[in-house]
């Protein structure tokens, strides 16, 4: 007897063999046909059970969600919808699932409902497909970098620095919150805390990755990052995974080339390796679209959209050009933007980014050379003295998927910037050391992993592409 995953069985089709599979009941019809799924593929395997040949008790235990081991002969299927099926000779019940209380019944559940059952939702077609694509994408990301001479670097999760300078951090402390030690000014005395200083969960591994790029040449991080921003949107999580490559001797142009090549390669990987799941997700989206008003429907089916990304160049546009386009755009003139664009220097909101990508250029856009004032302290200042070598990659349906830059490698310019922003130079002594000892042009970027998974799967809400989303007021499971 050979034990198989359903994926293996569907590939090999060893007709006539005695086979064994394990899985969960998806559907049970006519007291005879069990559709079993083991998570290895979106496809179920039909098992035909003649219950009169089994113990009377067995039938009562079969219902959606029950875990079974079924063995029998693999035969060509007579019925529609599947090529092979198992003629069962043995059925072992690992565990039943009471239909009165098991929440995942064979009908359409809303994504909101399933979020509350996040521990069981991976047993649905939609979530199993999304999570298989997520896994494949993670592998693709490692493969791309490993094949291209990058070293995987683990940046610390607990850190004393605020890389993005946005101050949206989760404090890590073992002090007694009810009765913390105070210093002579009446402030909490963090020198008595676990690490002897104030520490937080990291918002980005970039600063540490820079130190490693300036020794290993090309590195990347891929780990969890945390932001305590109170944004309840379909694109923000408080805990998300970020991929941050950092390359010595790369300028912004080389950085942009890498970003584009990298994203295309990972999407091509999913097209090549997740075909069944993508087909399922595409069909799911088409069904969902039917219930939407015409104007909100997306123009391309999922797979076509992914191929479009792989086959077309990203449009590279300076911030200044983008502002001109936005200023003269219809929605701006008709006051349709929530944040009207009046002048150079304005920060771009997601409504603007999406206008540029979805309405104006109709392809992914890399915006670069942003005003220094709206970007982080570490970005390299241009000759004009007012823009920095920053880039954001904007994607249709997503908005910003990547943020990156060429880093300021000149010690005096960086020190000046740190002073202007009132950042404590002492906190960044090690970061400044890189500019003291063997400094060089270098660049990197950060890709929000969940936003990439959203794009690849077509899922509208970021909470549905990570197993257990962490958002304001929500850390169940
Ligand atoms: O643009 P961000 O803030 O850039 C950085 O953190 C840099 N240190 C990256 C670097 O140059 N190494 O974040 C990078 C990306 C964003 O473009 C977005 O895709 C994602 O991370 N991101 C989030 N994803 C989900 N939830 C959030 N709250 C996110 N914040 C950023
Ligand atoms: Mg950004």
């Amino acid at each position: 007897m050979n034990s198989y995953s359903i994926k293996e069985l569907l590939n090999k089709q060893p007709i006539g063999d005695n086979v064994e599979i394990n899985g969960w009941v998806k559907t049970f019809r006519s007291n005879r046909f069990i559709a079993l799924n083991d998570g290895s593929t979106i496809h179920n395997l039909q098992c035909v059970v003649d219950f009169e040949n089994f113990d009377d008790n067995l039938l009562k235990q079969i219902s959606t969600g029950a875990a079974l081991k079924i063995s029998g002969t693999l035969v060509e299927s007579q019925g529609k919808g599947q090529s092979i099926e198992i003629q069962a000779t043995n059925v072992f019940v690992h565990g039943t699932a009471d239909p009165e209380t098991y929440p995942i019944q064979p009908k359409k559940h809303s994504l909101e409902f399933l979020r509350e059952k996040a521990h069981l939702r991976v047993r649905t077609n939609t979530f199993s497909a999304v999570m298989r694509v997520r896994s494949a994408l993670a592998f693709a990301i490692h493969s791309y970098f490993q094949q291209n001479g990058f070293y995987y670097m683990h940046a610390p999760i607990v850190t004393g620095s605020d890389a993005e300078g946005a101050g949206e951090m989760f404090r890590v402390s073992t002090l007694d919150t009810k009765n913390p030690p105070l210093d002579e000014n009446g402030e909490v005395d963090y020198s008595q805390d676990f690490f002897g200083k104030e520490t937080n969960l990291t918002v980005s591994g970039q600063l540490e990755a820079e130190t490693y790029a300036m020794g290993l040449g090309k590195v990347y991080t891929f780990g969890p990052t945390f932001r305590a921003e109170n944004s309840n949107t379909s694109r923000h999580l408080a805990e998300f995974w970020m991929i941050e490559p950092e390359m010595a001797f790369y300028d912004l142009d080389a950085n942009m080339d890498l970003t584009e090549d990298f994203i295309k390669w990972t999407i091509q990987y999913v097209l090549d390796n997740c075909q069944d799941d993508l087909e399922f997700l595409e069909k799911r989206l088409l069904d969902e679209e039917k219930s939407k008003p015409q104007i909100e429907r997306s123009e391309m089916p999922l797979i076509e959209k992914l191929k479009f990304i792989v086959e077309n160049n990203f449009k590279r546009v300076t911030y200044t050009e983008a502002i001109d386009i936005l200023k003269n755009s219809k929605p701006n003139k008709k006051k349709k933007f929530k944040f009207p664009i009046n002048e150079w220097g304005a920060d771009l909101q997601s409504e603007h980014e999406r206008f540029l990508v979805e309405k104006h250029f109709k392809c992914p856009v890399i915006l670069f050379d942003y005003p220094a004032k709206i970007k982080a302290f570490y970005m390299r200042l241009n000759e004009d003295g007012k823009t920095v070598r920053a880039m954001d990659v904007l994607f249709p349906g997503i908005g910003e998927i990547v943020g990156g830059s060429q880093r300021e490698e000149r010690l005096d310019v960086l020190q000046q910037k740190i002073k202007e922003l009132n950042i404590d130079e002492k906190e960044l002594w090690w970061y400044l050391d890189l500019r003291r000892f063997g400094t060089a042009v270098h660049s990197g970027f950060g890709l929000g992993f969940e936003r990439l998974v959203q794009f690849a799967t077509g899922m509208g809400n970021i909470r549905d592409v990570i197993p257990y989303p962490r958002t304001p007021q929500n850390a169940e499971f």
Side-chain angles (χ1 to χ4, degrees):
M1 176 93 56
N2 278 321
S3 195
Y4 288 97
S5 74
I6 291 174
K7 187 177 177 182
E8 286 169 333
L9 268 189
L10 290 171
N11 283 339
K12 284 197 189 141
Q13 309 227 348
I15 302 288
D17 277 14
N18 231 339
V19 299
E20 175 186 283
I21 59 170
N22 291 281
W24 294 269
V25 177
K26 275 276 163 144
T27 58
F28 180 36
R29 331 179 259 117
S30 314
N31 279 354
R32 193 170 145 77
F33 301 105
I34 299 174
L36 212 63
N37 188 282
D38 63 358
S40 61
T41 156
I42 190 82
H43 301 296
N44 303 326
L45 194 65
Q46 172 155 287
C47 305
V48 187
V49 187
D50 289 317
F51 279 88
E52 59 269 28
N53 302 337
F54 290 84
D55 187 285
D56 286 347
N57 269 327
L58 181 64
L59 183 59
K60 284 185 261 169
Q61 300 180 63
I62 310 294
S63 63
T64 297
L68 307 179
K69 173 159 79 185
I70 293 184
S71 50
T73 316
L74 191 78
V75 297
E76 273 174 45
S77 177
Q78 306 302 313
K80 275 205 311 197
Q82 65 271 324
S83 56
I84 52 171
E85 63 192 22
I86 293 178
Q87 206 72 50
T89 49
N90 254 305
V91 178
F92 171 75
V93 181
H94 289 289
T96 57
D98 183 352
E100 297 295 316
T101 48
Y102 181 59
I104 314 291
Q105 292 301 320
K107 60 166 195 171
K108 208 167 157 44
H109 295 292
S110 74
L111 296 173
E112 290 79 8
F113 171 82
L114 291 171
R115 254 169 245 153
E116 285 166 15
K117 313 282 179 225
H119 59 309
L120 297 170
R121 67 180 179 171
V122 74
R123 298 195 200 175
T124 65
N125 287 333
T126 299
F127 283 92
S128 67
V130 168
M131 294 307 160
R132 278 188 297 268
V133 172
R134 183 181 166 107
S135 167
L137 267 174
F139 182 71
I141 286 162
H142 282 295
S143 305
Y144 179 86
F145 288 123
Q146 296 287 333
Q147 287 170 27
N148 285 286
F150 286 72
Y151 296 105
Y152 183 25
M153 182 247 174
H154 296 101
I157 307 272
V158 175
T159 161
S161 65
D162 176 6
E164 292 306 300
E168 293 158 333
M169 297 185 294
F170 291 101
R171 176 166 297 132
V172 176
S173 171
T174 53
L175 292 179
D176 180 356
T177 46
K178 287 203 198 88
N179 189 21
L182 302 178
D183 61 18
E184 56 269 31
N185 302 324
E187 310 268 347
V188 176
D189 182 6
Y190 289 104
S191 70
Q192 295 186 48
D193 204 347
F194 188 90
F195 296 106
K197 62 183 292 196
E198 243 188 294
T199 50
N200 299 289
L201 295 178
T202 186
V203 296
S204 156
Q206 177 196 323
L207 304 192
E208 291 89 352
E210 279 186 53
T211 66
Y212 264 59
M214 300 308 278
L216 289 177
K218 295 196 286 186
V219 299
Y220 68 105
T221 72
F222 185 175
T225 45
F226 306 85
R227 302 212 177 163
E229 51 191 333
N230 200 1
S231 1
N232 262 306
T233 78
S234 58
R235 313 268 176 262
H236 288 89
L237 291 166
E239 175 182 290
F240 64 100
W241 286 65
M242 190 157 37
I243 296 98
E244 294 184 275
E246 191 69 33
M247 300 77 63
F249 315 115
Y250 271 50
D251 64 7
L252 188 70
D253 287 324
N255 198 14
M256 289 198 249
D257 292 343
L258 175 77
T259 314
E260 187 169 341
D261 189 56
F262 161 65
I263 295 182
K264 287 178 172 173
W265 197 90
T266 55
I267 289 182
Q268 185 63 50
Y269 183 91
V270 170
L271 282 167
D272 292 342
N273 291 279
C274 304
Q275 207 179 341
D276 290 355
D277 288 321
L278 292 182
E279 279 167 16
F280 171 82
L281 291 165
E282 173 169 291
K283 193 172 159 302
R284 178 194 163 272
L285 275 176
L286 291 173
D287 290 345
E288 195 179 69
E289 299 267 295
K290 280 185 202 142
S291 61
K292 283 192 197 161
Q294 191 77 33
I295 45 159
E296 284 176 28
R297 294 187 192 171
S298 83
E299 282 151 35
M300 276 185 217
L302 180 64
I303 295 175
E304 202 181 313
K305 197 177 73 175
L306 299 183
K307 287 188 176 153
F308 179 85
I309 296 291
V310 173
E311 287 160 10
N312 290 281
N313 290 337
F314 296 5
K315 181 89 188 157
R316 299 182 189 187
V317 186
T318 65
Y319 167 90
T320 304
E321 288 168 304
I323 284 291
D324 282 342
I325 293 167
L326 287 166
K327 242 201 306 207
N328 297 316
S329 69
K330 243 193 214 160
N332 200 49
K333 288 185 168 157
K334 292 193 166 169
K335 307 214 176 332
K336 289 275 159 62
F337 285 141
K338 203 168 147 216
F339 298 90
I341 297 285
N342 298 319
E343 60 194 54
W344 193 92
D347 203 354
L348 299 186
Q349 306 295 325
S350 96
E351 57 179 349
H352 310 127
E353 298 176 340
R354 294 186 64 166
F355 172 83
L356 290 170
V357 171
E358 288 158 30
K359 299 279 186 290
H360 190 82
F361 291 110
K362 297 190 196 306
C363 71
V365 173
I366 310 184
L367 284 190
F368 65 99
D369 283 352
Y370 279 79
K373 283 212 168 66
I374 58 171
K375 288 291 182 188
F377 74 94
Y378 50 70
M379 298 185 180
R380 193 182 197 282
L381 192 63
N382 278 314
E383 304 309 316
D384 63 13
K386 56 177 195 170
T387 60
V388 285
R389 301 246 77 192
M391 63 156 188
D392 275 5
V393 181
L394 313 178
F395 255 43
I398 303 285
E400 180 190 333
I401 194 163
V402 162
S405 63
Q406 186 176 319
R407 319 306 189 190
E408 184 55 77
E409 85 284 13
R410 297 164 296 185
L411 180 63
D412 53 336
V413 182
L414 189 57
Q415 277 172 323
Q416 178 61 30
K417 182 78 195 212
I418 286 174
K419 205 191 236 155
E420 278 167 25
L421 293 176
N422 278 326
I423 304 172
D424 187 359
E425 209 187 295
K426 284 201 286 301
E427 291 292 316
L428 287 171
W429 64 273
W430 51 275
Y431 189 71
L432 290 165
D433 260 4
L434 294 181
R435 279 78 184 164
R436 291 192 179 100
F437 311 121
T439 193
V441 169
H442 64 289
S443 298
F445 65 83
L447 169 79
F449 184 52
E450 282 74 21
R451 292 192 188 174
L452 182 65
V453 181
Q454 266 192 288
F455 183 76
T457 58
M459 297 302 282
N461 195 311
I462 199 164
R463 293 158 207 229
D464 297 329
V465 299
I466 186 166
Y468 296 104
R470 299 293 180 242
T471 50
Q473 300 298 311
N474 172 35
E476 191 66 45
F477 306 102

